Amino acid sequence: MIIALNNKSHLDKEEFEKYNEELETINTRHTLILCPSTINIPLATHKNYYLGAQNISKFKEGAHTGEVTATQAYTYDCKYTIIGHSERREEQHESNEDTNEKIKRSLDANLTPILCIGETKEEREENRYKEVLSKELTIATRDLTETDKEKVIIAYEPIWSIGTGIIPNNNQIDEVFSFIKEFLPNNKILYGGSANEENIDELNNCKYIDGYLLGGLSLKLENLQVFIDKIKD
Ligand code: 13P
């Protein structure tokens, strides 16, 4: 299983140093990936975890103030990068075409992309979620070779579930994961959105989950250890 931690824009320098020390004591047989806030990347010791970026630039390099490129992230020991998180799609107006560019940049720089997809509450209620997810998947993986396509890790994060404490039921998760597998039968698929040490017992009964992308829980390491210990694989 893959356990990816998304710190988002939390933890200042001092807080991150303490956090990193505590994270080193986490005990797991799973693949642990930490995606800290970009500025904390050089402080991350990554002894018992892999390092990932939360985002990379769609540009290879050049005059793009404030951007961090895939190659730069790689040279700071990142092995993974999140692409197209819903918060970036919403707040930074990232398009599916942007996610496609970013996936290409990351693969060129030897970073494994973790592509986030997911529908809003409205899209779910109007039964348009499959349409949204298929568009996100199709455009993001456009022009990739079959080998490159298979390298992309998919994270299904329903937007209505992120930070809300509400998670889809197992039938809803199984349905979406089967749907993703119709497009990408050999890719790893993570679930993200309010996953925690209390609902993991239920999530354990889902058919296809290859791991989790955790936001809030990434900041509560005691609870994270409980979550990890309860994962059934
Ligand atoms: P929460 O686990 O806080 O709901 O966040 C999920 C997420 O957005 C991870 O990328």
Side-chain angles (χ1 to χ4, degrees):
M1 286 257 181
I2 294 170
I3 315 293
L5 310 177
N6 177 4
N7 281 171
K8 306 193 178 184
S9 296
H10 294 287
L11 306 176
D12 65 20
K13 183 170 188 266
E14 205 175 308
E15 288 164 345
F16 183 79
E17 282 170 343
K18 186 162 172 279
Y19 173 86
N20 181 72
E21 240 172 66
E22 284 173 26
L23 188 60
E24 283 182 354
T25 67
I26 289 277
N27 187 9
T28 181
R29 64 188 185 285
H30 302 292
T31 302
L32 190 60
I33 303 167
L34 173 66
C35 303
S37 175
T38 309
I39 200 153
N40 286 329
I41 286 177
L43 301 174
T45 52
H46 58 89
K47 283 189 189 148
N48 60 337
Y49 61 85
Y50 293 97
L51 199 45
Q54 292 180 12
N55 172 50
I56 47 111
S57 175
K58 67 176 172 183
F59 301 109
K60 194 169 169 356
E61 64 167 311
H64 309 291
T65 302
E67 292 288 280
V68 170
T69 68
T71 306
Q72 288 173 322
Y74 183 77
T75 59
Y76 277 85
D77 296 333
C78 288
K79 299 281 183 266
Y80 296 85
T81 179
I82 298 173
I83 304 270
H85 192 282
S86 59
E87 286 149 17
R88 297 201 57 83
R89 291 178 191 259
E90 196 184 318
E91 296 166 3
Q92 315 299 330
H93 313 292
E94 270 187 23
S95 65
N96 288 321
E97 287 73 16
D98 292 332
T99 64
N100 178 240
E101 288 301 317
K102 290 180 181 208
I103 286 178
K104 289 176 185 164
R105 294 303 90 71
S106 42
L107 292 169
D108 284 347
N110 281 319
L111 295 180
T112 299
I114 303 174
L115 172 70
C116 296
I117 60 168
E119 79 284 358
T120 62
K121 186 165 180 278
E122 199 180 23
E123 288 159 348
R124 164 70 58 174
E125 284 168 358
E126 291 171 358
N127 208 21
R128 290 193 289 121
Y129 58 100
K130 286 192 180 169
E131 190 189 311
V132 171
L133 298 172
S134 98
K135 201 167 167 195
E136 288 179 335
L137 287 171
T138 311
I139 301 177
T141 56
R142 195 181 270 167
D143 305 326
L144 299 188
T145 63
E146 284 309 310
T147 319
D148 274 350
K149 251 187 215 178
E150 287 185 9
K151 292 180 188 161
V152 181
I153 297 172
I154 308 299
Y156 172 55
E157 297 207 315
I159 297 168
W160 47 278
S161 182
I162 297 177
T164 59
I166 301 165
I167 61 164
N169 65 42
N170 288 4
N171 288 340
Q172 289 173 316
I173 295 179
D174 287 347
E175 187 202 26
V176 168
F177 275 48
S178 312
F179 182 71
I180 296 170
K181 282 181 179 295
E182 286 173 28
F183 287 82
L184 302 165
N186 300 318
N187 293 53
K188 295 229 177 308
I189 315 174
L190 315 182
Y191 170 75
S194 295
N196 61 34
E197 73 288 0
E198 281 167 18
N199 52 36
I200 182 63
D201 294 326
E202 196 56 29
L203 288 166
N204 272 332
N205 295 323
C206 290
K207 283 191 204 147
Y208 311 109
I209 293 180
D210 295 306
Y212 297 92
L213 180 53
L214 306 169
L217 194 64
S218 81
L219 302 168
K220 299 180 192 144
L221 295 181
E222 267 179 38
N223 299 10
L224 176 69
Q225 184 67 66
V226 176
F227 177 89
I228 287 173
D229 291 344
K230 285 184 170 184
I231 292 176
K232 185 175 76 129
D233 54 3

